[in-house]
Amino acid sequence: IAYPLDGSELRFWRIDRLNGNANIAEECLLDGKSGVSKRNGKIEFSVLLVLAASSPLAAQNEQGAGASTVVTDFDALKTTAEAGDPVAQWRLGMALDGGDGVSSDPAKAVFWFREAIKGGSAAAHASLALMYATGRGVAVDYSAARELYHKAAKLGEPHGFFGMGVLHARGEGVPKNVAEAFAWMIVATAAGDEQAINLINSGAFADITEVDSVQTRVEQIADEFGVDISGLAFQPSSQD
């Protein structure tokens, strides 16, 4: 829901804690879903996560790893990629992984993601991290996935923060810690990652009660990676 406030548009995400949904975060992340998860029960605790939608950081990063890509001319894309363009190399990897305009070939996707990384593509770091995390085109290696997501975040790729959140939520390559995952996801929303926004909207972190400690971690992560979180705020909401 968007509300005008002093000329700015604010987007509010409500995170409700319901009885009987302790496994929502794990279920959503393990299933790879970002849709709304519903549980019946009395609302015990709720928090508002506020992000200024007018901020550049609130907009979807259309060129990032979390963005949608559609290939209209595969041959032209391949020619540009072969000429050494890192953006085209990353997009070619995405097309090959997803079978967009060509037969799916995860191994070739991995090759092109690596080529794009050589050219400095932040998005390719996050995309290759996902390949390692899921074992597509390469053997599963959570340590490699974590390193790549971390580097992607350092390079300013919003999906790097999202990936770090997923690893912490699942306990892949790092100790399982859903509160830590939530902190990474919040920073991802501040950086503009659409999937992180959708996941928070779904209520995936509805059972988080450590609001103060999560906020502290958000500030620490944002400071380390240079993410502007001035448009974020935690506010207690009224009990329903």
Side-chain angles (χ1 to χ4, degrees):
I1 303 174
Y3 298 92
L5 182 64
D6 297 331
S8 299
E9 188 176 60
L10 297 182
R11 193 173 297 157
F12 290 73
W13 287 287
R14 179 170 180 148
I15 303 144
D16 294 319
R17 183 172 182 265
L18 308 178
N19 289 328
N21 72 342
N23 295 320
I24 273 184
E26 181 177 2
E27 289 170 4
C28 285
L29 292 170
L30 288 179
D31 293 341
K33 297 177 181 177
S34 60
V36 175
S37 296
K38 296 181 179 178
R39 294 290 187 276
N40 294 322
K42 179 182 177 182
I43 297 173
E44 297 176 344
F45 176 82
S46 58
V47 115
L48 287 176
L49 176 61
V50 185
L51 175 61
S54 57
S55 166
L57 291 176
Q60 180 177 0
N61 178 26
E62 295 181 355
Q63 297 301 319
S68 174
T69 59
V70 178
V71 175
T72 57
D73 189 337
F74 180 83
D75 291 336
L77 178 62
K78 187 171 185 290
T79 297
T80 305
E82 290 173 341
D85 183 280
V87 174
Q89 290 169 342
W90 168 71
R91 292 188 67 228
L92 181 58
M94 293 289 285
L96 287 163
D97 181 37
D100 182 9
V102 66
S103 297
S104 178
D105 191 332
K108 286 185 179 179
V110 166
F111 170 82
W112 285 110
F113 289 148
R114 286 174 173 159
E115 291 298 299
I117 285 173
K118 293 176 185 177
S121 169
H125 280 81
S127 295
L128 184 58
L130 181 60
M131 304 302 274
Y132 274 112
T134 57
R136 296 207 307 276
V138 68
V140 171
D141 186 336
Y142 296 130
S143 294
R146 183 190 180 282
E147 181 179 346
L148 285 161
Y149 276 134
H150 194 274
K151 182 62 180 293
K154 277 289 189 184
L155 292 172
E157 167 54 50
H159 215 57
F161 300 102
F162 176 87
M164 289 294 293
V166 171
L167 293 181
H168 281 286
R170 292 175 171 171
E172 296 174 341
V174 292
K176 184 173 180 177
N177 187 330
V178 178
E180 176 75 4
F182 189 28
W184 282 97
M185 290 295 178
I186 292 172
V187 176
T189 69
D193 187 82
E194 192 74 9
Q195 289 188 37
I197 293 171
N198 290 339
L199 188 61
I200 289 177
N201 276 337
S202 77
F205 299 99
D207 259 8
I208 299 296
T209 58
E210 310 97 313
V211 178
D212 290 340
S213 61
V214 169
Q215 184 173 6
T216 297
R217 276 300 289 145
V218 168
E219 293 169 351
Q220 291 171 344
I221 295 168
D223 182 65
E224 177 184 353
F225 290 86
V227 177
D228 181 5
I229 58 170
S230 60
L232 291 177
F234 282 97
Q235 296 179 186
S237 69
S238 60
Q239 293 287 331
D240 289 350

